[in-house]
Amino acid sequence: MDTLNPRILVAALAVYSLVGCATVPKPRMCEAELSQRERSFPTPDTWFTLLLHGFDAKKGVAPRPPVDCAGAPVAWEEPSADECREAGPQPLPLPPKERLTEEDLMLETTRANQRLVWVITRRFSNGEGLGPVALVETTPKGFVVRAMGSLRGMTQNVRMRMEHVGGTDVLVAEGDTCTQEEPQVCRRAARILPLRNGRFFSEAVSGEDRACLGAAWFPLSREQVLELPNGWHRRFELTSTLTFGADAVSIQEQVTVSDSDPKQPAIPERLFRRAQNDRKLKVEENVLVGSAPSLWTRMVEQQLVAGAKVLPDKPTAGHDDKATGLAKKPATPAHQGGKAAVAQDQP
């Protein structure tokens, strides 16, 4: 792997300027002076050195715990059950890799001279990864970090983009997690991080009263099986879409609920209920405000209050096997069993 020429990494104060007709934050969080060849053909080590303070290119490692190039710890804290209506994912951290490789680097071009760069420094048992994420601009002298933060998200089939909602730029990061068993089932989820004063913020979603509704984590497909007090299994399946408008993010959710008797596995599942709902997420000056808890949360809560128990999820693929952000085969639909007695309602 190519070694880098001497470069200068500088932490600076945020400075704002106008580009065209839109107001865009233009801080110079960190920068690297590179040769023309390095600018045109950057290696993974180029990005690791740019975003990680103290990265050792020869050994492929950064000091632990990692710190980003602007001096902030690479850290993440999900909302917990005692402070939010719905807790964020609480997976177990996997052992750190001995060295970073190209599998730990996610790149997305946003325009000709600008990229979103995510370096994954830690992975988790549910298929998520954590690491510094940056909006990087190519200049005549090298690369300049215009925005910086920490991102935790799914690490397969990663797609990142910037959206503009309610006068605020937001980072949208989508990715998959897949089961180990065959046929493999992949489920997709999105993270939303507002960009404030040159930093990507991992904010929770609050209600109008500022009570926490949950993490800014949005499963686009999700499945959970509950065991009912009578021993039957009740399967919840979610599909949702995010639509980004000028004033708010629209979240369209549909939940399908099916019942089955584990003592009679040959009998197809029976459709118990189907519900759908639209809710809004506003990006205000200093907080994300949701119009309501997720449909999934409300429906599952009803079952738990009635005595149902959550059954363990299926194990996900190991991070060594499924760590890249390259395009993969389309995911298998989560469930294709027979259904009957269709009913629809709107909570």
Side-chain angles (χ1 to χ4, degrees), residues 159-180:
R159 295 292 181 267
M160 298 181 290
R161 67 184 187 276
M162 298 297 299
E163 297 281 357
H164 193 74
V165 183
T168 301
D169 290 325
V170 296
L171 167 64
V172 183
E174 297 182 12
D176 291 344
T177 184
C178 301
T179 58
Q180 293 178 348

Side-chain angles (χ1 to χ4, degrees), residues 11-315:
L13 295 175
V15 179
Y16 292 86
S17 63
L18 294 178
V19 176
C21 297
T23 301
V24 179
K26 298 289 289 183
R28 300 176 71 89
M29 307 290 291
C30 323
E31 58 186 290
E33 294 185 2
L34 303 169
S35 67
Q36 182 176 355
R37 182 179 183 279
E38 288 174 319
R39 294 196 304 273
S40 301
F41 304 100
T43 67
D45 280 355
T46 304
W47 302 114
F48 299 155
T49 303
L50 176 64
L51 298 192
L52 287 168
H53 175 72
F55 178 75
D56 186 332
K58 292 183 179 180
K59 297 181 180 179
V61 297
R64 296 174 184 166
V67 174
D68 69 31
C69 66
V74 178
W76 189 279
E77 184 175 354
E78 289 282 48
S80 60
D82 64 350
E83 61 185 356
C84 285
R85 180 75 176 268
E86 180 181 9
Q90 304 291 335
L92 296 174
L94 300 178
K97 295 176 64 177
E98 292 185 1
R99 62 180 295 130
L100 297 179
T101 69
E102 62 182 353
E103 292 181 340
D104 304 305
L105 176 65
M106 306 294 168
L107 297 168
E108 196 80 58
T109 300
T110 57
R111 55 179 187 238
N113 66 336
Q114 196 174 79
R115 295 180 179 95
L116 284 165
V117 184
W118 182 30
V119 176
I120 300 170
T121 57
R122 197 70 185 264
R123 295 178 185 269
F124 297 85
S125 58
N126 68 340
E128 286 188 300
L130 168 65
V133 64
L135 185 63
V136 181
E137 183 179 305
T138 303
T139 70
K141 293 184 178 181
F143 296 134
V144 175
V145 174
R146 298 299 188 188
M148 193 85 198
S150 293
L151 169 64
R152 200 178 102 184
M154 299 304 181
T155 58
Q156 299 181 51
N157 300 321
V158 174
R159 295 292 181 267
M160 298 181 290
R161 67 184 187 276
M162 298 297 299
E163 297 281 357
H164 193 74
V165 183
T168 301
D169 290 325
V170 296
L171 167 64
V172 183
E174 297 182 12
D176 291 344
T177 184
C178 301
T179 58
Q180 293 178 348
E181 62 188 28
E182 295 294 340
Q184 191 178 70
V185 177
C186 295
R187 298 194 176 279
R188 197 160 184 82
R191 291 275 191 187
I192 295 179
L193 282 73
L195 176 57
R196 306 188 192 280
N197 298 322
R199 297 290 304 185
F200 292 113
F201 275 64
S202 56
E203 298 173 2
V205 178
S206 300
E208 294 290 349
D209 59 356
R210 294 303 187 263
C212 179
L213 300 180
W217 176 72
F218 304 94
L220 304 182
S221 60
R222 189 177 186 182
E223 177 182 318
Q224 182 69 66
V225 180
L226 305 182
E227 184 179 64
L228 303 180
N230 64 2
W232 277 50
H233 287 179
R234 180 158 288 172
R235 182 191 305 274
F236 287 75
E237 294 178 276
L238 167 75
T239 57
S240 60
T241 58
L242 304 180
T243 304
F244 293 83
D247 299 324
V249 182
S250 297
I251 307 166
Q252 297 83 35
E253 303 169 300
Q254 179 171 300
V255 177
T256 302
V257 186
S258 303
D259 288 348
S260 64
D261 184 354
K263 296 180 180 179
Q264 303 183 68
I267 298 179
E269 290 186 345
R270 179 183 63 191
L271 182 62
F272 171 74
R273 186 181 184 188
R274 180 178 292 143
Q276 59 185 11
N277 186 52
D278 292 345
R279 58 192 176 108
K280 300 291 185 182
L281 178 67
K282 293 184 179 180
V283 186
E284 297 189 353
E285 183 178 353
N286 60 358
V287 69
L288 294 174
V289 179
S291 60
S294 70
L295 175 63
W296 172 277
T297 298
R298 286 179 281 156
M299 294 182 68
V300 171
E301 280 179 347
Q302 293 174 359
Q303 301 300 314
L304 296 179
V305 169
K309 298 180 180 179
V310 177
L311 295 180
D313 292 331
K314 297 176 182 178

